[in-house]
Amino acid sequence: LAFASGLTDVDAITLSTLRLLTLGQTQDTAAITAIVLALWANLLFRLGLTAIVGNRQLAWQCLPGLASVGLGTGLGLALL
């Protein structure tokens, strides 16, 4: 659900997940995982949108920055 929700809007899943966390209805690890999955979905969506609306060359230029965010969050998730 987090992946699908993150395709267009990471803020909504982040706020919802953090609300569940503060109410004690989810664990820290589950909340962080959901937010990271939503972020990854959003990064992929943005990269695809860049390739479609812009062009492949623009997408390739954006790839290093988006990949660094994805890899950084993945490393953080792995360190949990």
Side-chain angles (χ1 to χ4, degrees):
L1 181 63
F3 190 83
S5 297
L7 284 174
T8 57
D9 188 12
V10 177
D11 296 339
I13 192 73
T14 301
L15 294 174
S16 298
T17 304
L18 291 177
R19 176 81 173 139
L20 290 173
L21 184 63
T22 58
L23 294 174
Q25 296 180 353
T26 189
Q27 298 176 348
D28 296 349
T29 314
I32 293 168
T33 302
I35 293 169
V36 169
L37 285 175
L39 177 68
W40 286 347
N42 192 263
L43 289 173
L44 290 173
F45 177 77
R46 289 174 186 266
L47 187 61
L49 191 63
T50 302
I52 292 168
V53 174
N55 56 40
R56 282 188 177 180
Q57 182 181 2
L58 181 60
W60 278 109
Q61 290 174 346
C62 294
L63 183 62
L66 293 175
S68 66
V69 172
L71 290 173
T73 56
L75 179 60
L77 187 61
L79 293 175
L80 288 178

